[in-house]
Amino acid sequence: MTDHIRKLFAAYLDGELTASERRAVEDALRTDLALQAELDQLKTLRERAINALHTQAAEAEAPPDAFVQLQAKLHAESPAHLNGGRLHMQRNTDNPRSKRLPALGLTAVAALTAIIAAVLIVGRATRSEVITADAPQADAPITEGSEAIDPAQQPPEAEAVNEEDSAEEVSLREFILIWSYVPETFYTQNSVGHLTEDGQVVNEYRYNGNEQFVIVTEATSTDEPLPEGDVLVVQGNPATMQTGLSGTAQLELEHSRLGAPDPDSVVGGFGGGGGGDAPADATYPEQIAYEDGLRIVWDDGIRRVDVLTNLSTAEAMRVIEGLTWERTPQSEPPFTTEGGNAIEDLPTVPTGARVEVRSDYAVRLVEGFYHSMAVDVWDEAEGHISERRYNGDEQFVIVTRRLADEGENTAAGSFMVREQSALLTEGLSGTANITVPVLQDGVERPVFGMGGGGMPTDEGEQAHPDTIPYEDGLQVEWVEEGIYWTVLSNLPQAEMVAFVESIAIKPAPEDPNATTLEELSFDVRLPSYVPEGMRLLEGGPLALGDGANFAYFNEDGRKISVRQFAMDTAVTPQGYDDTVEIAGQTGYVYLNQEVTTDLPNGSTIVIFDGTTILFDLQSGVRVSMTTTLPLEEAIRVAASMIAP
Amino acid sequence: MNDLIKRCAAGDETAFAMLFEQTKNLVYKTALLMLDDPREAEDALQEVFIKVYRSVGSYDPDRAAFTTWLHRVTVNHCLNRHRKKRLTLVGLEDVTLGRRTHAIEQFGVDQEMRQALNRLSDKLRVVVVLRYFWDMPYAEIADILDIPIGTVKSRLHQALKNLRLDLEGVAQ
C-alpha cells in the first residue's frame, strides 16, 4: 500500500492526481509521518530539479543569426525544392501591418542564398571560390533591380518626407541608439550620431581602424517595400539582406552626437589606422573601400533601419540584434522596457519585518555601478526609505519611496513611467549625500560595506560618508501601486529613463506552504549561545514551508538570521567559498552575503559583507545561518545549535 | 498562429520567418535541456525547423496545438540524436566525462543536479523537461510522446526516484 502511495507522490506534487488518488495520498500522509517526510524530501528534490532546469535554460536564447543559417541550409540542401516553388517570396496580402516584400526572381534567390549557404556552411571556402561557383561577381548588383549602395546617398529623403503623412509621427531625435554588441576590435564608446538637416535621419558609424565599418542609417518608418533581397527576421521584424556589395563607405565624423547639426563641432575619438583605443582628439573623415558588403534593412514601425557593413554575416547579425533604441525623457508617449536588462534583485525584507513601504521591487543595475551596492534606510524625519547607488564618486541614483497619500498622483507631469503619469524635473543642482545615515535616537550610525570613491575593499566593515555635487540632475516622480516614487540621479537621460523603467514591482511572495512549528518534521533548535546584547526577534521561530526562520539582532544592526529546514543532508552544498568545522561537522561558508536588518525604531539596514554558513543540525535537517558577526563568533553560535 | 501556419504551408517565406522568430526559443530551450550542449541545441534548432518547413503542411490544427506539434518534432529529433550519438561513441565513460567537463564550465548551476538530470535515461529526461521546465499538463506530455497519461505519471515517479538515488550515490 505504501509503495502504491509513493508512486503517486510525483503526480500529487504536480496536482495531477484524480480526486480519489489524492484522498488516498492525503489519508496516508495523515497517519504515516515517515511517508510525510519522504514526500517533503521528494518535494525538495523536485524543486531542485526545477531550479536546475530553469537556471540552465531560462535565459538561453537561440543565436541571433539562426534564421540566416536556417535559410542557408534550406537552400543549400534542396535547391531543387526551391525551384519547385516551395520556398519563394510571396507578397503578403492579408496582413496590413506586414511589410510588403518584393517578389524576387528565383534565380536571384538561389544565387543569394547559395552565397550565404556557402559562407555559413562551407566555412572554409573563400569568398571568391563561392562567387566563382554560382553567384554574381562581388562588385555586380546582386539582386534584380538593386544597386550597390553608396552610404553617402542614404537614406532616401523621399521616405522621410512621406512619413509626415503617416498616422504616427515620431521624431527619431527622441531616441538614442544603443549598441549592445560590437566586435572586440572595434572602437567602443565611439559612435557618432549625425542628424541631417531635416531632423529625420540619424547615422551612426563605427569602424575598426580603416578596415571595417558598420553604418546604421535610420529614417522614419514607411510602408514602402523593403529593398529586394533575401528575407530574414531582425528583432522580430521582416527584413531583407543583400550581400556581395561593393563601394566606398563615407565615414563623416564632423557632427555633434544626437543634437542639432553643428558644423563647427567635431567628435573626437575616431582615428584612422589600427584598432584598439582611438586617439583622443583625432577627427578624420574616413573612406573605406569594400567589396563584400552586406546590407540589411528592416522597419520596426518607428524607423526604417538600413545597416551597411563589411563585417561577416554572422558578426553583422550579432551587431544588428544588439541594436536597441532608448527614448529620451522629453518624449511624450508611454513606453515600456519589457524584459529589461540585467535585473538585480534588491534587498527584500524578510517575513514579519515591520515596513510601511513595500520593498519587493527590483531595478536594473546601471553599468559601471557597484554591483549590489544598494542601501535601504528608513529616514525618521522624512518617513521614507531611500535607496542609493553610486559609481565611485561620480554618479548616483537615489530612489525614494513612501506610501502615497490617498488620491495623490503626479498627473500634472507629461512624462510617463510605464502606465503612470510622471513628473520630470531637469537641470537640478545640489549635492547628493551618499552618506547613509541611520538615525537612532538622534545618533547617526554607519552602514557597512559601502566604499566611498573607487571600488569597495574587502577589508571588513567600512563606513564612508560621500557626497556628490551635481549640476545636471534629473528627478522623476510618479505614483505606482500605492507608492510615491522619487528618483534623483545625475545619469544621462537615456540611462535614467532606462533605470526608472526597469524598476519592477514584484508580486508579494505567496506562502502556500505555511505551517506551524508543531507540524514540522523536526524540532527547531535555538542556539544556546549568542553574543551579549543580541536578542531574539519578536515572535521567535516562525514556521515557513518545511522549516522555520528566526533571527537575533542588536541595536547596532548586527544580526543572526537562521533558517532550519528539512532536506536530504546527503546533498553537498555547492558554490561555497570556504569550509569550517562546526562541532565536528563541516560548515560551508559563503562570503559577501546580503543581510537586511529592521531595527525596532523602524530603520532598515542592509549590509553586504555578511556571511552565510550551511551546516546540518542532524540527519535530514539543514541550517542556513546568515550573519554579520565575525566568522569565529558565527561558528560559535552555530556550534551551540548542534551541541547545546 | 494558425493563420501564420497556413501562410507557411502556402509557401510564404515571410510567414515562415515570423513563425521561426516566435517559436525558435521553444525549440532551442527544449533541445538545450535534452542535449545539454548549446552547439548541439543550435544544430537541433536548424534541423527541427527544416523538418517543420518541409512538413508544416501536414500539421492538423484540429488534432493538436501547434506548440504541441512542434514539441513533438523537437523531442523526437533530440531522442533520435541521442540514439545516433550513443552508436558513435565508444563507451559510457566518454559520455560521462564529456558531460561533466562541460557542466563544470557553467557557472551558477546546481551541477550535481544537472549531472544527475543528464544521467537520466532519455525517456525519463524528456518527461522531466516537459513537466518541470515547460510546466506542461500530463495530458499534453502524453500527447507529445504518444504514451498514456499513466505512463507519464510512472515515468516522473521513476525520474525523481532515480535522481534521488543518483544524488545519494546509490548505483542504479
Side-chain angles (χ1 to χ4, degrees), chain A residues 398-413:
Chain A
I398 299 178
V399 180
T400 305
R401 60 199 194 282
R402 62 173 170 80
L403 290 176
D405 296 334
E406 193 171 343
E408 187 175 23
N409 61 55
T410 54

Side-chain angles (χ1 to χ4, degrees), chain A residues 235-264:
Chain A
Q235 300 180 359
N237 304 291
T240 56
M241 177 170 70
Q242 297 170 322
T243 56
L245 303 173
S246 61
T248 302
Q250 303 286 340
L251 298 169
E252 296 287 346
L253 305 175
E254 297 182 358
H255 298 277
S256 61
R257 184 173 194 273
L258 290 170
D262 180 1
D264 296 329

Side-chain angles (χ1 to χ4, degrees), chain A residues 14 48 56 71 87 101, chain B residues 13-14 25 36 53 110 138:
Chain A
D14 286 336
R48 204 175 148 195
Q56 185 179 357
Q71 277 194 308
L87 179 62
L101 296 168
Chain B
E13 191 173 342
T14 306
N25 284 327
D36 192 38
Y53 180 78
D110 182 346
Y138 284 13

Side-chain angles (χ1 to χ4, degrees), chain B residues 62-77:
Chain B
D62 294 333
R63 294 185 59 187
F66 179 74
T67 50
T68 301
W69 184 80
L70 186 57
H71 266 299
R72 187 180 301 151
V73 176
T74 306
V75 298
N76 285 339
H77 175 83

Side-chain angles (χ1 to χ4, degrees), chain A residues 42 45, chain B residues 116-117 119-121 124 155-170 172:
Chain A
L42 202 67
L45 184 74
Chain B
L117 286 165
R119 287 191 286 270
L120 287 176
S121 67
L124 298 185
R155 285 189 184 175
L156 276 168
H157 163 74
Q158 192 62 44
L160 287 179
K161 185 179 174 184
N162 287 7
L163 285 174
R164 181 173 61 80
L165 293 173
D166 191 333
L167 292 169
E168 287 173 353
V170 178
Q172 295 170 55

Side-chain angles (χ1 to χ4, degrees), chain A residues 148-155 203 205 213 215-217 246-252 288 290 306 308:
Chain A
I149 302 147
D150 181 353
Q153 296 176 1
Q154 290 294 317
N203 295 335
Y205 314 144
F213 66 92
I215 299 177
V216 179
T217 305
S246 61
T248 302
Q250 303 286 340
L251 298 169
E252 296 287 346
I288 301 178
Y290 60 95
D306 188 326
L308 179 69

